[in-house]
Coordinates of all heavy atoms in Angstrom, one line a residue:
G104 N 241.2 83.1 157.3 CA 241.5 82.0 158.2 C 242.5 81.2 157.6 O 243.7 81.7 157.4
L105 N 242.3 80.0 157.4 CA 243.3 79.1 156.8 C 243.1 78.7 155.3 O 243.8 78.0 154.7 CB 243.5 77.7 157.6 CG 243.9 77.9 159.0 CD1 244.0 76.5 159.7 CD2 245.3 78.5 159.0
A189 N 249.1 79.5 162.4 CA 247.9 79.4 163.4 C 248.2 78.4 164.4 O 247.8 78.7 165.6 CB 246.8 78.9 162.4
S192 N 250.3 80.3 167.1 CA 249.5 81.2 167.9 C 248.7 80.5 168.9 O 248.5 81.0 170.0 CB 248.7 82.1 166.9 OG 249.5 83.0 166.1
F193 N 248.0 79.5 168.5 CA 247.2 78.6 169.4 C 248.0 78.1 170.6 O 247.5 78.3 171.7 CB 246.6 77.5 168.5 CG 245.8 76.4 169.4 CD1 244.6 76.7 169.8 CD2 246.5 75.2 169.8 CE1 243.9 75.8 170.6 CE2 245.8 74.3 170.5 CZ 244.5 74.6 171.0
N196 N 248.9 81.0 172.9 CA 247.7 81.4 173.7 C 247.4 80.5 174.9 O 247.2 80.8 176.0 CB 246.5 81.6 172.9 CG 246.5 82.9 172.0 OD1 247.2 83.9 172.4 ND2 245.9 82.9 170.9
M197 N 247.5 79.1 174.6 CA 247.2 78.2 175.6 C 248.3 78.1 176.7 O 248.0 78.0 177.9 CB 247.1 76.8 175.0 CG 245.8 76.7 174.1 SD 244.3 77.0 174.9 CE 244.2 75.5 176.0
G214 N 237.4 68.6 174.8 CA 237.4 68.6 173.4 C 236.6 69.9 172.9 O 237.1 70.6 172.0
A215 N 235.5 70.2 173.5 CA 234.8 71.4 173.1 C 235.6 72.7 173.5 O 235.6 73.7 172.7 CB 233.5 71.5 173.9
L216 N 236.4 72.6 174.6 CA 237.2 73.8 175.1 C 238.3 74.0 174.0 O 238.4 75.2 173.6 CB 237.8 73.5 176.4 CG 238.8 74.5 176.9 CD1 238.2 75.9 177.1 CD2 239.6 74.1 178.1
L217 N 238.9 72.9 173.5 CA 240.0 73.2 172.6 C 239.4 73.7 171.2 O 240.0 74.5 170.6 CB 240.7 71.9 172.3 CG 241.5 71.2 173.4 CD1 242.1 69.9 173.0 CD2 242.6 72.3 173.9
G218 N 238.2 73.2 170.9 CA 237.6 73.8 169.7 C 237.3 75.3 169.8 O 237.6 76.0 168.9
R219 N 236.8 75.7 170.9 CA 236.6 77.1 171.1 C 237.9 78.0 171.3 O 237.9 79.1 170.8 CB 235.8 77.3 172.4 CG 234.3 76.8 172.2 CD 233.6 77.0 173.6 NE 233.3 78.4 173.9 CZ 232.2 79.0 173.5 NH1 231.2 78.3 172.9 NH2 232.0 80.3 173.8
A220 N 238.9 77.3 171.9 CA 240.2 78.0 171.9 C 240.8 78.2 170.5 O 241.4 79.2 170.3 CB 241.2 77.2 172.8
W221 N 240.6 77.2 169.7 CA 241.1 77.3 168.3 C 240.4 78.5 167.6 O 241.1 79.3 166.9 CB 240.9 76.0 167.6 CG 241.2 76.0 166.1 CD1 240.2 75.9 165.1 CD2 242.4 76.2 165.5 NE1 240.9 76.0 163.9 CE2 242.2 76.2 164.1 CE3 243.7 76.4 166.0 CZ2 243.2 76.3 163.2 CZ3 244.7 76.5 165.0 CH2 244.5 76.5 163.6
A222 N 239.1 78.5 167.7 CA 238.3 79.6 167.0 C 238.7 80.9 167.6 O 238.7 82.0 166.8 CB 236.8 79.3 167.2
E223 N 238.9 81.0 168.9 CA 239.3 82.3 169.5 C 240.7 82.8 169.1 O 240.8 83.9 168.9 CB 239.2 82.1 171.0 CG 239.8 83.3 171.9 CD 238.8 84.5 171.8 OE1 237.9 84.6 171.0 OE2 239.0 85.4 172.6
T224 N 241.6 81.8 168.8 CA 242.9 82.2 168.3 C 242.8 82.8 166.9 O 243.4 83.8 166.6 CB 243.8 80.9 168.2 OG1 244.1 80.5 169.6 CG2 245.1 81.3 167.5
L225 N 241.9 82.3 166.0 CA 241.7 82.8 164.7 C 241.1 84.1 164.8 O 241.3 85.0 163.8 CB 240.9 81.9 163.9 CG 241.5 80.5 163.6 CD1 240.5 79.6 162.7 CD2 242.8 80.6 163.0
R226 N 240.2 84.5 165.8 CA 239.7 85.8 166.0 C 240.8 86.7 166.4 O 241.0 87.9 165.8 CB 238.6 85.9 166.9 CG 238.1 87.2 167.2 CD 237.3 87.3 168.5 NE 238.2 87.2 169.7 CZ 238.8 88.2 170.3 NH1 238.9 89.3 169.8 NH2 239.6 88.0 171.4
R227 N 241.5 86.4 167.5 CA 242.4 87.3 168.2 C 243.7 87.4 167.4 O 244.3 88.5 167.4 CB 242.6 86.8 169.6 CG 243.5 87.7 170.5 CD 243.7 87.1 171.9 NE 244.6 87.9 172.7 CZ 245.9 87.9 172.7 NH1 246.5 87.0 172.0 NH2 246.6 88.7 173.6
D228 N 244.2 86.4 166.9 CA 245.4 86.3 166.3 C 245.4 85.7 164.9 O 245.9 84.6 164.7 CB 246.5 85.5 167.1 CG 246.6 86.2 168.5 OD1 247.1 87.4 168.6 OD2 246.2 85.6 169.6
P229 N 244.7 86.3 163.9 CA 244.5 85.6 162.7 C 245.8 85.4 161.9 O 246.6 86.3 161.8 CB 243.5 86.5 161.9 CG 243.7 87.9 162.6 CD 244.0 87.6 164.0
P230 N 246.0 84.2 161.3 CA 247.2 84.1 160.5 C 247.2 84.9 159.2 O 248.3 85.3 158.8 CB 247.2 82.5 160.1 CG 245.7 82.2 160.2 CD 245.2 83.0 161.3
V259 N 241.7 92.2 158.6 CA 241.0 91.2 159.5 C 241.5 91.3 160.9 O 240.9 91.0 161.9 CB 241.3 89.8 158.9 CG1 240.7 88.7 159.7 CG2 240.7 89.7 157.5
G263 N 239.0 91.8 164.0 CA 238.8 90.8 165.1 C 238.9 91.3 166.5 O 238.6 90.6 167.4
F269 N 233.3 92.9 169.8 CA 233.8 91.9 170.8 C 234.1 92.6 172.2 O 234.8 93.6 172.2 CB 235.0 91.2 170.3 CG 234.8 90.5 169.0 CD1 235.3 91.1 167.8 CD2 234.3 89.3 169.0 CE1 235.0 90.4 166.6 CE2 233.9 88.6 167.7 CZ 234.4 89.2 166.6
R274 N 241.6 90.4 174.9 CA 241.8 89.2 175.8 C 241.5 87.9 175.1 O 240.6 87.7 174.3 CB 240.8 89.3 177.0 CG 241.0 88.2 178.1 CD 240.0 88.6 179.2 NE 238.6 88.4 178.9 CZ 237.7 89.0 179.4 NH1 237.8 89.9 180.4 NH2 236.4 88.8 179.1
F275 N 242.3 86.9 175.4 CA 242.1 85.5 174.8 C 241.1 84.8 175.7 O 241.4 84.5 176.9 CB 243.4 84.8 174.8 CG 243.2 83.3 174.3 CD1 243.0 83.1 172.9 CD2 243.4 82.2 175.1 CE1 242.9 81.8 172.6 CE2 243.3 80.9 174.7 CZ 243.0 80.7 173.4
D276 N 239.9 84.6 175.2 CA 238.9 84.0 176.1 C 238.0 83.1 175.2 O 237.0 83.5 174.5 CB 237.9 85.2 176.6 CG 236.8 84.7 177.4 OD1 236.7 83.5 177.9 OD2 235.9 85.5 177.8
P277 N 238.3 81.8 175.3 CA 237.6 80.7 174.5 C 236.2 80.6 174.9 O 235.4 80.2 174.2 CB 238.3 79.5 174.9 CG 239.7 79.9 175.3 CD 239.5 81.2 176.0
L278 N 235.8 81.1 176.1 CA 234.4 81.0 176.6 C 233.6 82.2 176.4 O 232.5 82.4 176.9 CB 234.4 80.7 178.1 CG 235.2 79.3 178.5 CD1 235.1 79.2 180.0 CD2 234.7 78.2 177.8
R279 N 234.1 83.1 175.6 CA 233.4 84.4 175.4 C 232.0 84.1 174.7 O 231.9 83.2 173.9 CB 234.2 85.4 174.5 CG 234.5 84.9 173.1 CD 235.1 86.0 172.3 NE 236.3 86.7 172.9 CZ 236.3 87.8 173.4 NH1 235.3 88.7 173.3 NH2 237.4 88.4 173.9
D281 N 230.4 86.2 172.8 CA 230.2 86.9 171.5 C 231.1 86.4 170.5 O 231.5 87.2 169.6 CB 230.4 88.4 171.7 CG 231.8 88.7 172.3 OD1 232.6 87.8 172.6 OD2 232.1 90.0 172.6
A282 N 231.4 85.1 170.5 CA 232.2 84.5 169.5 C 231.5 84.6 168.1 O 230.4 84.6 168.0 CB 232.5 83.0 169.8
D283 N 232.3 84.7 167.1 CA 231.8 84.8 165.7 C 232.6 83.9 164.8 O 233.9 84.1 164.8 CB 231.9 86.3 165.3 CG 231.1 86.5 164.0 OD1 231.1 85.7 163.1 OD2 230.6 87.7 163.8
A284 N 232.1 83.2 164.0 CA 232.8 82.2 163.1 C 233.2 82.9 161.8 O 234.0 82.3 161.1 CB 231.9 81.0 162.8
L285 N 232.8 84.1 161.5 CA 233.1 84.6 160.2 C 234.5 84.8 159.8 O 235.1 84.3 158.8 CB 232.4 86.0 160.0 CG 232.7 86.8 158.8 CD1 232.2 86.1 157.5 CD2 232.2 88.2 158.8
I286 N 235.2 85.3 160.8 CA 236.7 85.6 160.6 C 237.5 84.2 160.4 O 238.6 84.3 159.9 CB 237.2 86.5 161.7 CG1 236.6 87.8 161.5 CG2 238.8 86.6 161.6 CD1 237.0 88.8 162.7
A287 N 236.9 83.1 161.0 CA 237.7 81.9 160.8 C 237.7 81.4 159.4 O 238.5 80.5 159.1 CB 237.1 80.9 161.7
G288 N 236.9 82.0 158.5 CA 236.8 81.5 157.1 C 235.8 80.3 156.9 O 235.0 80.0 157.9
A295 N 241.0 74.4 156.9 CA 240.6 74.8 158.2 C 240.3 73.6 159.1 O 240.6 73.5 160.3 CB 239.3 75.6 158.0
G298 N 243.7 72.2 160.2 CA 244.3 73.0 161.0 C 243.7 72.8 162.5 O 244.6 72.8 163.4
R299 N 242.4 72.8 162.7 CA 241.9 72.6 164.0 C 242.3 71.2 164.5 O 242.6 71.1 165.7 CB 240.3 72.7 163.9 CG 239.7 72.3 165.2 CD 238.2 72.5 165.2 NE 237.6 71.9 166.3 CZ 236.3 72.0 166.7 NH1 235.5 72.8 165.9 NH2 235.8 71.4 167.8
L300 N 242.3 70.2 163.6 CA 242.7 68.8 164.1 C 244.2 68.8 164.6 O 244.5 68.2 165.6 CB 242.5 67.9 163.0 CG 243.0 66.3 163.2 CD1 242.2 65.7 164.3 CD2 242.9 65.6 161.9
A302 N 245.8 71.4 165.8 CA 245.9 72.2 167.0 C 245.5 71.3 168.1 O 246.2 71.2 169.2 CB 245.0 73.4 166.9
E303 N 244.3 70.6 168.1 CA 243.8 69.8 169.2 C 244.7 68.7 169.4 O 245.1 68.4 170.7 CB 242.4 69.3 168.8 CG 241.4 70.5 168.8 CD 240.0 70.0 168.4 OE1 239.8 68.8 168.1 OE2 239.0 70.8 168.3

Side-chain angles (χ1 to χ4, degrees):
L105 295 178
S192 294
F193 171 78
N196 285 330
M197 293 299 289
L216 173 63
L217 291 180
R219 292 180 68 96
W221 170 249
E223 174 72 345
T224 294
L225 295 181
R226 175 201 70 84
R227 182 180 181 271
D228 304 291
V259 178
F269 302 101
R274 186 176 67 205
F275 178 72
D276 180 10
L278 302 180
R279 65 171 54 250
D281 54 3
D283 189 332
L285 174 65
I286 291 178
R299 173 174 171 170
L300 176 63
E303 294 177 355

